[in-house]
């Protein structure tokens, strides 16, 4: 075995101020736990919501300050190197994705805090520990109780999402993966409505997530055996040497780690949890999970690919290209068959994961910037879309109207809500003058220049995009050109928080479709990894 010298970091290379945004989020999460333990029940909601949003804003400001302090005119946002002895690397992609996670999480927590009727947080059960449908749960609902611990749980997940794309070694990446995943397993099972479905979704998500974590750890062990290190630069340094008796560990190790990462983005054939988890989770959690988690996971994939294993791409890239093609086909085809709006958007999310993987496999800086731009655009439209889904209820306001047939005639009875949702669906489809069109161009164009494999993926992507257009247009036709069913639905009046979240998503979806240059330039300047 060829020995590889471990990465050495001096005190001068450590910049603890660079991890200040993550420290703010994790610190706020710990304070939120203390609020749950000691604050009076009637005051917990206001304290938790205020603390969560203050943490998001403070951390976002810290990210901006770090980026401004380490920016050069020639290379864009360079970053600060090994912020914690190489385990955490704060460079351009990390800062860009951390800022995007905070923006999407700010919007997501706004929708989570919705209090329709002024009692509790509407999306969440009043007592998560109670048996669904039990007298204890009914008593908690009458008393106006709420699971305000969802906010510190969300903050812990946000901290993990910020650490995930900045992890400089595989063990730190695994810790970030678990820190962001465990709170999501819990949040998925806390829906106020359809409690059994929610708990089933949480269990499925947890079990499959545990399997994916095991794959990730097994792959990490193989790569450590191959290179003698878990640091991504050391793995990259070991690959060109070759000629050892342990060469057989490399490709299996890469593919097993990739399985753990591909699970988090919902890529086929590791997508089985996505429709069930998205359908059963509280709708605000679904929107936030579909956007911020996907963004963080793709950030980790980018770092693993471009910093650790790019020089061996001729061995593993064909397998991942096949996964990208399969993901696009599965997401597009199965979305056509769905009769539930949340499951339809779940399979749409799978298709979009395939589109983004096309950009990852372009293997150049333009591909990285296109992926980052796509992730922001997709996240904005997703949170806004699920925010609207959470407002459409049946006539008794007892449950969300998620069956597609219930959306018939919504354009006539509630034109503003239907109009915004229709616009977001067109953005998902990639219609010009929406951010979806610009985002698809940003990932497909570098792939076309990358060679034959990239061209094949783009052709499949265009065909699948055309297929998904039918899915989205079908919903629009249903809303505007179909008669309302006998059990008519209504749109509840949300608070200012939900209006702000949906408004931010819809407006930025339009702005990034009409004038995307600023964000594209920012992504291009931030698309250089420190190796």
């Amino acid at each position: 075995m060829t020995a590889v010298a471990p990465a050495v970091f001096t005190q001068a290379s450590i910049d603890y101020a660079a991890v200040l945004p993550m420290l703010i989020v994790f610190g706020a999460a710990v304070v939120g736990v203390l609020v749950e333990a000691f604050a009076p029940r009637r005051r917990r909601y206001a304290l938790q919501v205020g603390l969560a949003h203050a943490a998001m804003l403070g951390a976002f400001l810290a990210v901006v300050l770090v980026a401004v302090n380490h920016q050069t005119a020639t290379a864009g946002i360079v970053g600060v190197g090994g912020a914690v002895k190489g385990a955490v690397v704060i460079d351009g992609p990390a800062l860009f994705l951390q800022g995007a996670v905070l923006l999407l999480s700010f919007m997501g927590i706004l929708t989570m805090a919705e209090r329709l009727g002024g009692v509790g947080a509407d999306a969440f059960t009043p007592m998560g520990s109670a048996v669904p449908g039990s007298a204890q749960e009914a008593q908690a609902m009458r008393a106006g109780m709420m699971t305000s611990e969802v906010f510190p749980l969300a903050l812990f997940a946000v901290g993990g999402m910020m650490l995930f794309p900045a992890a400089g070694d595989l063990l730190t990446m695994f810790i970030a993966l678990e820190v962001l995943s465990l709170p999501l397993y819990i949040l998925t099972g806390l829906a106020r409505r359809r409690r059994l479905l929610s708990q089933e979704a949480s269990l499925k998500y947890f079990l499959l997530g545990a399997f994916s974590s095991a794959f990730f750890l097994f792959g990490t062990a193989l790569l450590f055996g191959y290179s003698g290190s878990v640091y991504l630069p050391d793995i990259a340094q070991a690959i060109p040497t070759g000629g050892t008796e342990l060469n057989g560990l490399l490709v299996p190790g890469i593919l097993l780690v990739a399985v753990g990462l591909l699970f988090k983005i919902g890529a086929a054939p590791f997508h089985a949890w996505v429709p069930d988890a998205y359908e059963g989770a509280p709708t605000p959690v679904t929107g936030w999970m579909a956007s911020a988690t996907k963004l963080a996971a793709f950030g980790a994939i980018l770092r693993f690919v471009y910093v650790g294993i790019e020089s061996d791409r001729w061995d593993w890239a064909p397998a991942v290209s096949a996964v990208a093609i399969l993901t696009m086909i599965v997401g597009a085809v199965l979305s056509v068959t769905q009769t539930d709006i949340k499951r339809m958007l779940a399979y749409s999310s799978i298709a979009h994961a395939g589109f983004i993987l096309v950009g990852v496999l372009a293997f150049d800086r333009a591909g990285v910037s296109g992926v980052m731009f796509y992730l922001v655009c997709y996240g904005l439209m997703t949170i806004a879309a699920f925010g609207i889904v959470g407002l459409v209820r049946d006539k008794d306001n007892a449950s969300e109207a998620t069956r597609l047939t219930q959306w018939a005639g919504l354009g006539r009875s509630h034109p503003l809500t239907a109009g915004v949702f229709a616009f977001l669906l067109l953005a998902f489809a990639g219609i010009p003058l929406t951010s979806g069109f610009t985002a698809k161009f940003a990932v497909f164009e570098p792939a076309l220049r990358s060679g034959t494999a990239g061209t094949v993926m783009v052709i499949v992507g265009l065909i699948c995009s055309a297929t998904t257009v039918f899915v989205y247009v079908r919903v629009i036709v249903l809303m505007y050109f179909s008669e309302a069913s006998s059990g008519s639905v209504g749109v509840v009046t949300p608070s200012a928080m939900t209006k702000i979240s949906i408004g931010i998503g819809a407006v930025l979806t339009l702005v990034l479709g009409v004038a995307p240059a600023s964000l594209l330039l920012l992504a291009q300047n931030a698309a250089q990894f420190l190796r």
Side-chain angles (χ1 to χ4, degrees), residues 126-420:
M127 182 176 289
S129 60
V131 176
S134 65
Q136 186 181 15
E137 185 180 58
Q139 182 181 3
M141 188 173 296
R142 288 194 298 270
M145 296 171 61
M146 67 167 291
T147 51
S148 52
E149 63 268 25
V150 299
F151 300 105
L153 284 172
L155 286 175
F156 278 117
V158 172
M161 292 173 189
M162 295 176 68
L163 180 60
F164 207 21
D169 67 75
L170 293 176
L171 287 183
T172 303
M173 195 173 289
F174 174 75
I175 292 171
L177 173 64
E178 295 304 299
V179 171
L180 76 89
S181 298
L182 292 175
L184 290 176
Y185 300 151
I186 300 172
L187 292 170
T188 300
L190 295 178
R192 177 182 291 266
R193 303 164 187 87
R194 297 198 289 183
R195 295 279 290 117
L196 287 176
L197 181 65
S198 178
Q199 292 192 348
E200 178 188 351
S202 177
L203 181 61
K204 290 179 179 178
Y205 190 13
F206 169 72
L207 291 176
L208 293 176
F211 281 118
S212 72
S213 297
F215 279 111
F216 188 98
L217 279 179
F218 194 7
T220 298
L222 294 180
L223 290 177
F224 177 79
Y226 170 80
S227 65
S229 175
V230 294
Y231 286 94
L232 296 179
D234 291 347
I235 296 172
Q237 183 181 348
I239 290 175
T241 60
T244 75
E245 65 276 14
L246 298 178
N247 279 350
L249 300 180
L250 177 59
V251 174
I254 290 173
L255 294 179
L256 287 173
V257 170
V259 168
L261 295 175
L262 292 171
F263 172 87
K264 296 306 297 183
I265 65 172
F270 318 109
H271 66 286
W273 64 275
V274 175
D276 291 331
Y278 283 24
E279 181 184 17
T283 300
V285 173
T286 302
W288 175 56
M289 180 168 61
S291 56
T293 304
K294 191 182 297 292
L295 185 147
F298 265 110
I301 289 173
L302 287 172
R303 186 168 300 280
F304 179 60
V305 167
Y306 284 84
V307 177
I309 61 172
E310 182 180 6
S311 58
D312 191 54
R313 66 176 184 263
W314 305 114
D315 289 328
W316 57 263
V320 180
S321 299
V323 168
I325 292 172
L326 180 63
T327 302
M328 290 185 285
I329 294 173
V330 168
V333 173
L334 293 185
S335 63
V336 176
T337 66
Q338 301 307 308
T339 59
D340 183 276
I341 191 75
K342 292 176 72 173
R343 293 184 71 90
M344 185 201 78
L345 292 175
Y347 280 104
S348 166
S349 172
I350 294 170
H352 282 280
F355 300 150
I356 301 171
L357 272 177
V358 173
V360 172
L361 296 172
F363 296 112
D364 64 3
R365 187 167 175 173
V368 175
S369 63
V371 167
M372 295 194 299
F373 179 82
Y374 198 124
L375 290 169
V376 174
C377 295
Y378 175 76
L380 291 169
M381 65 180 82
T382 297
I383 290 182
F386 278 103
I388 292 176
V389 170
L391 299 179
V392 181
R393 305 288 176 85
D394 60 22
K395 60 181 180 180
D396 299 324
N397 196 26
S399 62
E400 295 169 350
T402 60
R403 295 196 311 275
L404 287 179
T405 54
Q406 293 178 289
W407 288 62
L410 191 69
R412 301 177 185 178
S413 57
H414 299 86
L416 179 60
T417 301
V420 175

Side-chain angles (χ1 to χ4, degrees), residues 8-98:
V8 177
F9 297 91
T10 64
Q11 183 66 30
S13 69
I14 303 173
D15 188 344
Y16 294 102
V19 297
L20 179 61
M22 286 182 283
L23 294 178
I24 291 174
V25 174
F26 281 124
V30 173
V31 172
V33 173
L34 297 177
V35 169
E36 283 299 304
F38 299 107
R41 184 179 297 276
R42 65 182 181 278
R43 299 183 61 186
R44 290 178 192 171
Y45 169 82
L47 289 173
Q48 295 284 24
V49 173
L51 176 65
H53 286 118
M56 296 297 101
L57 292 174
F60 186 83
L61 179 60
V63 168
V64 173
L65 291 176
V66 172
V68 170
N69 290 336
H70 298 86
Q71 186 174 11
T72 68
T74 56
I77 303 173
V78 175
V80 298
V84 185
K85 297 188 176 181
V88 180
V89 180
I90 305 298
D91 52 12
L95 291 170
F96 183 95
L97 295 171
Q98 285 181 347

Side-chain angles (χ1 to χ4, degrees), residues 433-457:
L433 301 183
T434 67
S435 62
F437 173 81
T438 312
K440 283 189 173 65
F441 182 84
V443 295
F444 286 169
E445 192 271 338
L448 280 174
R449 292 189 281 103
S450 66
T452 304
T455 302
V456 171
M457 288 189 291

